[in-house]
Structures are given as C-alpha cells and as structure tokens.
C-alpha cells in the first residue's frame, strides 16, 4: 500500500517488579491456582480500602528516568469507570490527568537508521482479572489473581510507520525497563503486552486517518503480523472507496487476521474522577535525585561503550545488550580479562548457545564471570585449544568446576614438552612415507594431511603452531637430504 502512509501508536502495559500488589499485600507471582492470590481489597468487597504501594511509585520514577520522560512530582490516583466481568469493582484504579511519567522520547534502530519515538505519558494502574472461556461447556469463568497487579501503561505518540518500527520500539522500551529493574517484561508470562492503534493516510495529507485499536497483543510476532494485516485490510477498504470504521479489534493468531470486537465510533466515557481513598503523591527533588543515583548504566550508554571504546561489531553489540543479565555478565568478565572482542565472541557464539537452547538462563549462570574470563584467556593464550575450550565450558555448566581444574582433570592442557611433540612428528613421518614423498615432490596440500595426523595423535594437548613448526622443520631436513 505504497500510496498510503501507516500511522501507528502503541500502549504498552508492563507489570512492575514488586513483591506485592499495588493496593494490598497479596503476593505477585506468575501462575498459581485460580483465585488463590486475591483478597477482599483485590476484588473490591464493601468496606475495604486501598493502600498505595510505595515501591510502585519508586518504580514509576525509575521508569520515567529510563524512558527520558519528565517526572510528575505532584501526581494523583483516579478511578476509571467501566463494567466488565474481569473487573469486580466495576472501576479500575488508574491515573488520568496527572500521571507519574510526563512526555519523553526514546531512540530506536531500524534498517532505515535511527529514529526517535515520542512518549505522550506513562501512568501507574492496577491490572484487571482474567476471563477463562470454556468452549465445550459454553461458560466463562473469572480468575482474579491478577486483580491489583501493578502496571505501568506507556502511551506513545503515533510516530511509527511500520511493523518493524513498532517491534523496535517495544524491544527498546522492554530493554530500558529491564535495565532499570522496573519490570521483567516477559511477554510469554503476560508481564508485557500491548494495544496497537493503526490508521492510514495519504502522503500529502496532514489529517490522520480513522484509527483502529487492536487489543491485548502478547508477543512480538503477533504484534508484527497484526499490524501488517491491519495495514493491508484498511488499504483495501480505502481503495474500494469505502470508509474505515473506528473500532476495537482482536488478533486471531491461528488465522493471522484481526476481527471486530466492538464499535468505537465515539470516545469511551470512563467518567474519570479522583480516587477518594488515596491522597495525592508529592515526589521531592531529593527523592528523584536519590533514585537517579541508583540507576544502572542503561542500553544507549552501553551500546556507545561497546561500539566506540571496545570496538565491537554492531551485530555482537545488539546481541549483548538484548538481555541485561548477559550484558552485566560480559561487563564483569572483561574486568578480569580486558580482551573485549575475545570475551564478546565467546559469549555470543558459545555461552548464548546454551541459553538459546534452554539449558541455561541468563540470570542463573552456574559459574562466575571471573571463571568465564579465565577460560577465554586460557583459549586466547593457547593453554587449551578452542575445541577443548568448548568442552570445558560444557563441563563448567554440568559439573560447576573451575576451568583450570577441568582442563587438568580431562587432560586438555596444551603440552609444552617439544620432545613429546617431536616424537609424534617423527612417528607420523615414518608411517606415511608415500604422503611425505608426495609433499616433497611438490604436492603442498599433503602437508595438511600430515599436520592433521600429528594433531589427532596429540589430541589437542599441544599448540598447533608448535606442531606446525616442528613438522615443517622435519620435512625441510628431509628435503635437504635429498638434494
């Protein structure tokens, strides 16, 4: 649809990393038996009063700093009134006109280059429950475990024009929240989900097209597919001379299409008003400064260090910063062995293989960064060869022993005894006389065969450079003796 420009905005809902809910002391955890993590406050029984979790406010400030937003130093809590079966109070405690995070912007990287996406605001609120639909029994049941789980809703401006940009924006927001210790942002667990607003306009038009909202997308793949489908769907409607209807739609993952949920011709009237049971929150300059001093090094600063100071490749940098636990591990490892490229290569190629295959979690690596750095150093200094280094890494995961101990126990240490290497070389030369004669006659490729035989017999316990030198010396002596 090249004759239309997509206009895309996102509302990201990130679960905040508190131990208890936003207005009560119920534990926050993933999973669990239905309706076992809720209390009278969660489900809004008469006579109960909410008490604002102070940690939620702190995380709101941290999120504002991470997302380059202003901090709402005078902020209040509001009631958003609507009826739905998963909302037992018939209203949601949220924020309206005085959110904790004011306007800001973040930088994303796409194939077309850098782009800034503006954030309109972000506010704290409680989550609703979850409806479980039983198609066989034709019933719907409510699980209120998620009621009162603290959320941060991040509302972007409509600054994105493709599914690729939307994906990059979500990945950047999730990364910043993870780095700031605000949210785990695990879409597969529901701690990050998004609503997408899509419209189309003519390139020359200033006025935006009719907006369609796609609700509750919970994977990057689904978000990309939903946006691409919706752009195509709206384009066909406009090409036919029809009008796009303002509505709320859902994405059918199995069919790869969006489907209408409800018409939204007029803006919803949620009848917001100030929550009478919670006083406004005032956040001082000193409190903001204290939180700012506690902030870790965020993504953009790490990217700059990796690219310009450590001189790593862009592809490796992108992989390293994708997971804060991995980036932290790498940063600690290069303190012990400051060969930045070698350590990065071993993390990206070897360590992440086990994480990607599900054998390890980035935040549960069973050895220290110092031990990992030692292994990389042993490899680079040819104390062990690379193949044996891979085997040592696997044993470090399984046996939880130091790399030096494993190398010694398994006989992986390079043998610096040249007499032993010389003995193997002589044995190979004596055994493969025909290949030696061929090499001396000018068939240079046979050197690789002879080298391979020597390396195989030494079983990775000798430096290949040393083997090569001794083999070349022996063959050169034979050549001289034939003249």
């Amino acid at each position: 649809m090249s004759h239309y420009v997509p206009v895309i905005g996102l509302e990201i809902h990130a679960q905040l990393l508190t131990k208890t809910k936003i207005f009560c002391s119920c534990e926050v955890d993933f999973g669990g038996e239905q309706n076992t993590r809720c209390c009278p406050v969660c489900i809004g029984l008469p006579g109960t009063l909410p008490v604002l979790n102070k940690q939620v406010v702190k995380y709101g400030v941290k999120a504002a700093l991470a997302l380059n937003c202003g901090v709402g130093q005078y902020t209040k809590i509001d009631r958003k009134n609507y009826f739905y079966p998963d909302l037992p109070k018939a209203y949601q405690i949220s924020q309206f006109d005085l959110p904790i995070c004011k306007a800001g912007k973040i930088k994303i990287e796409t194939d077309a280059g850098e782009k800034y996406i503006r954030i309109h605001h972000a506010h704290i609120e409680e989550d609703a429950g979850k409806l479980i639909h039983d198609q066989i029994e034709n019933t719907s049941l409510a699980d209120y475990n998620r009621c009162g789980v603290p959320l941060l809703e991040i509302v972007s401006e409509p600054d994105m024009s493709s599914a690729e940009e939307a994906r990059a924006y979500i990945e950047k927001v999730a990364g910043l929240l993870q780095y700031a210790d605000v949210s785990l942002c695990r879409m597969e667990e529901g701690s990050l989900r998004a609503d997408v607003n899509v419209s189309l306009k003519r390139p020359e038009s200033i006025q935006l097209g009719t907006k369609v909202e796609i609700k509750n997308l919970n994977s990057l793949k689904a978000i990309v597919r939903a946006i691409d489908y919706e752009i195509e769907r709206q384009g066909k409607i406009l090409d036919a001379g029809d009008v796009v209807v303002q509505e709320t739609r859902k994405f059918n993952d199995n069919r790869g299409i969006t489907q209408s949920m409800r018409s939204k011709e007029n803006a919803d009237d949620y009848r917001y008003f100030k929550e009478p049971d919670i006083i406004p929150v005032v956040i001082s300059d000193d409190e903001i400064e204290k939180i700012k001093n506690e902030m870790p090094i965020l993504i953009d600063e790490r990217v700059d260090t990796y690219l310009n100071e450590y001189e790593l490749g862009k592809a490796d940098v992108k992989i390293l910063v994708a997971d804060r636990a991995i980036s932290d591990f790498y940063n600690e490892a290069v303190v012990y062995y400051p060969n930045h490229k070698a350590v990065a290569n071993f993390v990206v190629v070897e360590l992440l293989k086990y994480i990607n295959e599900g054998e390890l979690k980035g935040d549960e690596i069973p050895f220290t960064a110092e031990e990992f750095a030692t292994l990389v150093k042993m490899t680079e200094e040819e104390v062990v060869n690379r193949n044996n280094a891979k085997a040592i890494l696997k044993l470090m995961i399984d046996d939880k022993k130091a790399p030096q101990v494993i190398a010694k126990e398994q006989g992986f240490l390079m043998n610096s005894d040249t007499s032993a290497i010389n003995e193997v070389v002589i044995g190979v030369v004596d055994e493969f006389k025909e290949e030696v004669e061929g090499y001396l006659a000018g068939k240079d490729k046979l050197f690789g065969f002879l080298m391979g035989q020597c390396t195989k017999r030494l079983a990775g316990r000798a430096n290949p450079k040393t083997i090569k030198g001794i083999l070349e010396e022996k063959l050169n002596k034979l050549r001289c003796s034939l003249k």
Side-chain angles (χ1 to χ4, degrees):
M1 301 301 167
S2 58
H3 47 293
Y4 299 111
V5 176
V7 179
I8 301 166
L10 288 172
E11 298 168 11
I12 295 175
H13 304 263
Q15 178 179 323
L16 296 175
L17 198 56
T18 58
K19 293 181 179 178
T20 56
K21 293 184 179 181
I22 187 169
F23 300 121
C24 67
S25 60
C26 290
E27 289 187 3
V28 173
D29 204 356
F30 175 66
E33 187 178 347
Q34 290 86 353
N35 295 312
T36 58
R37 294 197 181 107
C38 50
C39 69
V41 175
C42 296
I43 57 178
L45 293 185
T48 59
L49 292 173
V51 178
L52 180 59
N53 186 334
K54 185 177 180 180
Q55 192 67 29
V56 171
V57 176
K58 180 178 180 180
Y59 283 160
V61 175
K62 290 182 76 174
L65 296 173
L67 298 170
N68 298 309
C69 292
V71 177
Q73 292 187 250
Y74 179 85
T75 184
K76 66 180 176 69
I77 309 299
D78 302 285
R79 285 189 184 181
K80 178 181 179 181
N81 295 272
Y82 66 95
F83 175 77
Y84 202 70
D86 64 3
L87 194 69
K89 295 194 294 285
Y91 63 84
Q92 179 188 31
I93 304 180
S94 181
Q95 290 189 296
F96 181 48
D97 56 333
L98 293 174
I100 196 163
C101 302
K102 297 181 178 180
K105 64 179 181 180
I106 64 170
K107 181 176 69 176
I108 64 171
E109 296 277 351
T110 69
D111 292 341
E114 293 181 355
K115 182 174 181 177
Y116 282 91
I117 306 298
R118 294 172 298 157
I119 294 173
H120 182 275
H121 77 276
H123 62 265
I124 54 176
E125 64 183 16
E126 63 176 344
D127 201 355
K130 180 180 180 181
L131 291 182
I132 300 170
H133 305 288
D134 189 330
Q135 302 293 342
I136 297 175
E137 297 291 335
N138 196 29
T139 59
S140 294
L141 302 175
D143 178 10
Y144 292 132
N145 278 349
R146 286 196 64 86
C147 280
V149 168
L151 300 178
L152 182 75
E153 180 173 340
I154 304 153
V155 182
S156 82
E157 297 285 3
D159 289 348
M160 289 153 276
S161 56
S162 69
E164 178 200 0
E165 289 183 2
R167 180 189 181 108
Y169 171 73
I170 294 171
E171 288 178 332
K172 186 62 176 286
V173 168
L176 289 168
L177 296 181
Q178 287 173 333
Y179 273 74
D181 289 323
V182 167
S183 174
L184 293 176
C185 295
R186 292 174 180 165
M187 299 190 86
E188 70 278 6
E189 294 182 1
S191 62
L192 187 79
R193 53 190 191 268
D195 300 336
V196 180
N197 296 306
V198 181
S199 66
L200 299 182
K201 72 180 188 68
R202 294 283 186 182
E204 67 278 5
S205 176
I206 298 174
Q207 185 175 354
L208 299 181
T210 302
K211 177 181 68 175
V212 170
E213 183 180 28
I214 310 167
K215 296 288 286 186
N216 290 326
L217 297 163
N218 57 10
S219 76
L220 287 172
K221 185 178 179 181
I223 289 166
V224 169
R225 292 174 68 207
I227 291 173
D228 284 340
Y229 175 82
E230 191 59 26
I231 290 172
E232 182 179 359
R233 186 188 74 87
Q234 292 185 28
K236 289 178 179 178
I237 292 173
L238 295 175
D239 285 344
D242 294 329
V243 177
V244 174
V245 176
Q246 183 177 353
E247 62 181 339
T248 300
R249 299 176 72 87
K250 63 182 178 180
F251 181 64
N252 187 318
D253 210 355
N254 293 328
R255 298 175 60 191
I257 64 171
T258 64
Q259 297 172 303
S260 181
M261 290 175 64
R262 55 184 178 268
S263 174
K264 201 172 185 179
E265 294 180 2
N266 300 308
D268 288 316
D269 180 12
Y270 290 116
R271 297 184 295 112
Y272 279 101
F273 61 84
K274 181 179 174 296
E275 168 57 60
D277 295 324
I278 301 175
I279 62 172
V281 177
V282 179
I283 305 167
S284 69
D285 291 335
D286 288 343
E287 288 172 314
I288 294 173
E289 191 63 28
K290 182 181 178 182
I291 293 172
K292 188 180 293 184
N293 292 334
E294 295 172 356
M295 294 286 285
I297 300 172
L298 299 176
I299 295 175
D300 288 345
E301 189 175 345
R302 296 191 193 212
V303 168
D304 184 65
T305 299
Y306 293 169
L307 287 174
N308 300 317
E309 186 178 334
Y310 296 174
E311 298 181 339
L312 303 181
K314 283 188 176 181
D316 285 350
V317 171
K318 185 176 181 180
I319 293 171
L320 288 174
V321 300
D323 186 326
R324 182 188 164 183
I326 297 300
S327 181
D328 286 345
F329 186 83
Y330 170 76
N331 287 348
E332 189 178 351
V334 295
V335 170
Y336 295 105
Y337 182 50
N339 186 331
H340 305 113
K341 291 184 178 180
V343 176
N345 183 65
F346 220 85
V347 169
V348 171
V349 177
E350 306 301 340
L351 181 60
L352 285 180
K353 176 179 68 175
Y354 294 103
I355 293 173
N356 293 336
E357 291 174 354
E359 291 189 43
L360 279 182
K361 290 184 178 179
D363 55 354
E364 296 178 4
I365 296 173
F367 46 80
T368 66
E370 182 179 5
E371 289 172 329
F372 183 80
T374 299
L375 175 60
V376 179
K377 184 178 182 182
M378 290 168 65
T379 309
E380 291 299 304
E381 295 181 353
E382 297 182 328
V383 176
V384 296
N385 68 30
R386 190 161 190 92
N387 284 335
N388 286 341
K390 295 177 184 179
I392 292 170
L393 179 63
K394 175 62 174 166
L395 290 169
M396 287 169 67
I397 295 169
D398 294 340
D399 298 344
K400 300 174 179 58
K401 293 181 180 179
Q404 306 97 313
V405 174
I406 294 171
K408 187 174 181 180
E409 288 179 351
Q410 300 294 324
F412 289 150
L413 294 171
M414 293 285 197
N415 191 346
S416 58
D417 182 2
T418 55
S419 61
I421 299 172
N422 192 60
E423 184 177 335
V424 169
V425 169
I426 291 172
V428 168
V429 170
D430 288 344
E431 182 177 344
F432 297 96
K433 288 184 170 60
E434 186 176 336
E435 286 77 9
V436 170
E437 289 173 1
Y439 171 75
L440 296 176
K443 296 180 180 179
D444 294 341
K445 290 184 178 180
L446 287 169
F447 183 85
F449 170 80
L450 297 169
M451 180 71 182
Q453 292 299 320
C454 295
T455 304
K456 182 179 178 181
R457 296 184 184 198
L458 287 160
R461 294 188 296 274
N463 190 320
K465 292 180 181 178
T466 306
I467 300 171
K468 183 173 182 288
I470 293 175
L471 179 59
E472 285 176 339
E473 182 182 1
K474 178 65 175 175
L475 294 172
N476 286 334
K477 284 181 180 180
L478 286 173
R479 181 179 283 115
C480 291
S481 68
L482 295 174
K483 291 182 179 179

